[in-house]
C-alpha cells in the first residue's frame, strides 16, 4: 500500500510504503505517518501563527469597540466645548456689545482652562472657576464705576471681599458644583476608555510559550500526520489546551470586571444632572444670570467695597458714562431653543452615546476568562459538541476525550493534561496590565463620587493632572511600573484606522513575527490530503 502526503511547502513531498514510518516524530503519535521532524517544526511555527491570529480575531470586537467609542466620546466632548464657547461669544456680543468685546479674554481664558483640564493640564477646576468670577468682578466693578480710578492694588483688595460680597448671587457656587463634577466624570470616563483600549490591544498580542506551541501543534496538525485531515479537535480537548496557553490572560479577569463595573458607575454620572452636556449648553445663560445679579446689586456692592477698600480717586470723567454701561448690562438673555442646540461630530446626543457604551461594556465582562470558550468554537477550531463525540481528535487518535476541563487561571493549571504550565511564574506583562486596570478603577470610583484625585496634592505645577483619555506625567508616575501610558485625550484623532495598527503603534507584538516566506507558505497551505 502506498500513502502519499503532499503539502504546499517546497521539498515536503514524500511517501511511505506499506505503513512504514518515514521518521521518528517528537510530538505526534508514532507509527503509520507521513510527517517528518522537519514538518513538525513547520507545523509548530504555523500553530503559533494561527493561535496568535485566533486570539486577535476573537478579541477584534472588544478592541474595535474601545477604539471607536473612545474616539466618539473624545470628539463629542471637545466639540461640545468649542460649540459652547462659540455660542456664548455670539450671544454675548449680540447682548452686551462693546463692554463684552473689550473684556472677552476673561471668557476665552475660562474655556481655554476647561479644555486644558480635559486634555490633561494641571488645572484645579475649583480654583480656576473662583479665579474666573474674581476677574469678572474686577472688570464689571471697573465698568460700573468708571467715574473712579481703579488701580491694580484696589482690584486686589476687591478680590479679597468676593466671598463676603457674593456679587453674582448663588450662581458661582451652583455652577462650580456642576462644572467640576461634570468635567471630572467626562475626563475620567474617556481616560477609562483609553486605558481599556490599551490593555485590550496589548493583552491580545499573546506570547506563546514552547509548551503551549507543542500542545497547539499536537492539537491542530497531528491529525494530518495520521491521515485524518478532516478530523477536528474535541471541544474539551481544545478548552484544556487554551486554558493552559491563556492561563495568565484569565487572571486579568477579576480586575477587568471591576474596571468594567467602575466604568458603568461613571456612565451613570454622564446621564444624571451633572452630565457635561446639560451643564455646558446653558452655561452662557447661567453666567448672564450672575452678571444680572451683579448689575442689580451694583450700588450695594460698590458701597461695601468702598467701606472695605476705601474710596477710590475720581477719574475726572464724572458719571456721564455710567448710564450707558448700566443699560448694556441690563440686557437679559434668552435660553436656547431646541433647534439652536449645538450639533457634534459624534452625530448624536450624549445620552445615546452612553446607552450604547453601557450595552457594550456589559457584554465584555468576563471576556478574558471566556476567551478559551470563544476560541474553541466549531467555526474556528473544534468539532463542536456533536452527538457523536467519537469523531473528534483527542490528541492521540479519533475518539472520545476523557480528561475533565480545568478551571480558569494560572493556579488551576498545575495538572493540565495538555500544556505544561509553570504556575510559580506569573507573566510579568499581564501583571502590569492588571495594575494599570487597578489604578484606573480607583480613579473611576473617585470620579463617581465627584473627587478628582489628582488634586489631593497639586502643588507642583509641572506634575500634570491626567487627562480625559490618557496620562500626563502624573499619570505616568502611577503607571510607570506598568508600562501602560495611555495616549493623551484628543491626541489620537486618527483612531478610525485599523485596530491592529493602533495596537502595533503602542506596543510591539510580544512574539516574534514569522519570516515573510513562511507566512506566505502558511497562507498557501490548504490542508489538502492526497
Amino acid at each position: 500500500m502506498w500513502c502519499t502526503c503532499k503539502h504546499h511547502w517546497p521539498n515536503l513531498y514524500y511517501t511511505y510504503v506499506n505503513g512504514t514510518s518515514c521518521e521518528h516524530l517528537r510530538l505526534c503519535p508514532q507509527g503509520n505517518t507521513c510527517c517528518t521532524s522537519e514538518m513538525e517544526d513547520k507545523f509548530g511555527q504555523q500553530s503559533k501563527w494561527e493561535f496568535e491570529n485566533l486570539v486577535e480575531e476573537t478579541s477584534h470586537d472588544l478592541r474595535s469597540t474601545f477604539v471607536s467609542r473612545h474616539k466618539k466620546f473624545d470628539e463629542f466632548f471637545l466639540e461640545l466645548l468649542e460649540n459652547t464657547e462659540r455660542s456664548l461669544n455670539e450671544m454675548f456680543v449680540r447682548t452686551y456689545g462693546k463692554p463684552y468685546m473689550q473684556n472677552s479674554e476673561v471668557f476665552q481664558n475660562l474655556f481655554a482652562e476647561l479644555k486644558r483640564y480635559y486634555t490633561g493640564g494641571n488645572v484645579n477646576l475649583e480654583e480656576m472657576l473662583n479665579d474666573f468670577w474674581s476677574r469678572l468682578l474686577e472688570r464689571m466693578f471697573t465698568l460700573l464705576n468708571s467715574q473712579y480710578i481703579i488701580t491694580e492694588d484696589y482690584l486686589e483688595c476687591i478680590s479679597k471681599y468676593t466671598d463676603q460680597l457674593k456679587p453674582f448671587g448663588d450662581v458661582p457656587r451652583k455652577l462650580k458644583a456642576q462644572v467640576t463634577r461634570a468635567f471630572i466624570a467626562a475626563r475620567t470616563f474617556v481616560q477609562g476608555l483609553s486605558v481599556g483600549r490599551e490593555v485590550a490591544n496589548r493583552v491580545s498580542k499573546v506570547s506563546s510559550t514552547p509548551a503551549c506551541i507543542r500542545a497547539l501543534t499536537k492539537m491542530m496538525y497531528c491529525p494530518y500526520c495520521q491521515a485524518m485531515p478532516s478530523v477536528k479537535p474535541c471541544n474539551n480537548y481544545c478548552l484544556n489546551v487554551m486554558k493552559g496557553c491563556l492561563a495568565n490572560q484569565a487572571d486579568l479577569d477579576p480586575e477587568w470586571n471591576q474596571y468594567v463595573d467602575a466604568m458603568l458607575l461613571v456612565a451613570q454620572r454622564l446621564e444624571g444632572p451633572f452630565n457635561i452636556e446639560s451643564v455646558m449648553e446653558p452655561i452662557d445663560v447661567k453666567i448672564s444670570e450672575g452678571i444680572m445679579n451683579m448689575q442689580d446689586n451694583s450700588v450695594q456692592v460698590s458701597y461695601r467695597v468702598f467701606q472695605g477698600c476705601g474710596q477710590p480717586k475720581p477719574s475726572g470723567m464724572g458719571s456721564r458714562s455710567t448710564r450707558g454701561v448700566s443699560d448694556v448690562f441690563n440686557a437679559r438673555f434668552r435660553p436656547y431653543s431646541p433647534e439652536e442646540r449645538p450639533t457634534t461630530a459624534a452625530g448624536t446626543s450624549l445620552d445615546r452615546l452612553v446607552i450604547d457604551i453601557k450595552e457594550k461594556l456589559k457584554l465584555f465582562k468576563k471576556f478574558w476568562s471566556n476567551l478559551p470558550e470563544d476560541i474553541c468554537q466549531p467555526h474556528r477550531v473544534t468539532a463542536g459538541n456533536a452527538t457523536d463525540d467519537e469523531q473528534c481528535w483527542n490528541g492521540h487518535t479519533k475518539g472520545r476525550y476523557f480528561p475533565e476541563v480545568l478551571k480558569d487561571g494560572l493556579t488551576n493549571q498545575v495538572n493540565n493534561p495538555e500544556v505544561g504550565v509553570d504556575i510559580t511564574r506569573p507573566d510579568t506583562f499581564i501583571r502590569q496590565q492588571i495594575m494599570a486596570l487597578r489604578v484606573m478603577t480607583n480613579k473611576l470610583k473617585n470620579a463617581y463620587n465627584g473627587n478628582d484625585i489628582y488634586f489631593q496634592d497639586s502643588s507642583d505645577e509641572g506634575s500634570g493632572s491626567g487627562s480625559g483619555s490618557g496620562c500626563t506625567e502624573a499619570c505616568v508616575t502611577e503607571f510607570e511600573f506598568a508600562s501602560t501610558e495611555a495616549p493623551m485625550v484628543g491626541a489620537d484623532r486618527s483612531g478610525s484606522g485599523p485596530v491592529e495598527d493602533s495596537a502595533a503603534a503602542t506596543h510591539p507584538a510580544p512574539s516574534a513575527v514569522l519570516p515573510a516566506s513562511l507566512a506566505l507558505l502558511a497562507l498557501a497551505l490548504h490542508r489538502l490530503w492526497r
Side-chain angles (χ1 to χ4, degrees), residues 16 40 69 188 232 250 426:
Y16 66 82
E40 274 194 328
R69 287 352 181 244
T188 309
K232 291 187 175 183

Side-chain angles (χ1 to χ4, degrees), residues 137 140-142 144-145 147-148 154 158 165 167 294 297-312:
L137 170 61
M140 286 194 64
F141 185 89
T142 301
L144 294 171
N145 293 277
Q147 68 272 33
Y148 297 107
Y154 199 87
I158 293 175
L165 295 172
M294 172 69 181
N297 300 309
S298 61
V299 175
Q300 298 94 317
V301 170
S302 296
Y303 175 75
R304 294 180 65 183
V305 169
F306 294 158
Q307 281 187 318
C309 300
Q311 187 82 13

Side-chain angles (χ1 to χ4, degrees), residues 130-141:
N130 288 340
D131 187 64
F132 163 74
W133 290 107
S134 294
R135 299 290 80 76
L136 187 58
L137 170 61
E138 293 171 3
R139 299 300 179 92
M140 286 194 64
F141 185 89

Side-chain angles (χ1 to χ4, degrees), residues 90-104:
E90 292 173 354
M91 297 181 76
F92 272 47
V93 167
R94 185 168 64 249
T95 306
Y96 295 132
K98 188 175 180 180
Y100 164 72
M101 290 184 281
Q102 291 175 336
N103 298 278
S104 60

Side-chain angles (χ1 to χ4, degrees), residues 367-388:
F367 177 85
W368 303 105
S369 59
N370 287 334
L371 197 53
E373 285 84 355
D374 292 337
I375 291 176
C376 293
Q377 294 292 323
H379 66 280
R380 288 196 173 105
V381 175
T382 69
N385 294 315
T387 54
D388 186 4

Side-chain angles (χ1 to χ4, degrees), residues 70 188 215 238 266 268 280 282 310 377 390 416 453 493 501 507 512:
H70 170 266
T188 309
C238 176
V266 178
Q268 294 178 17
M280 290 304 295
Q377 294 292 323
E390 302 285 345
N416 191 306
I453 62 174
R493 310 314 297 269
D501 291 345
H507 188 78

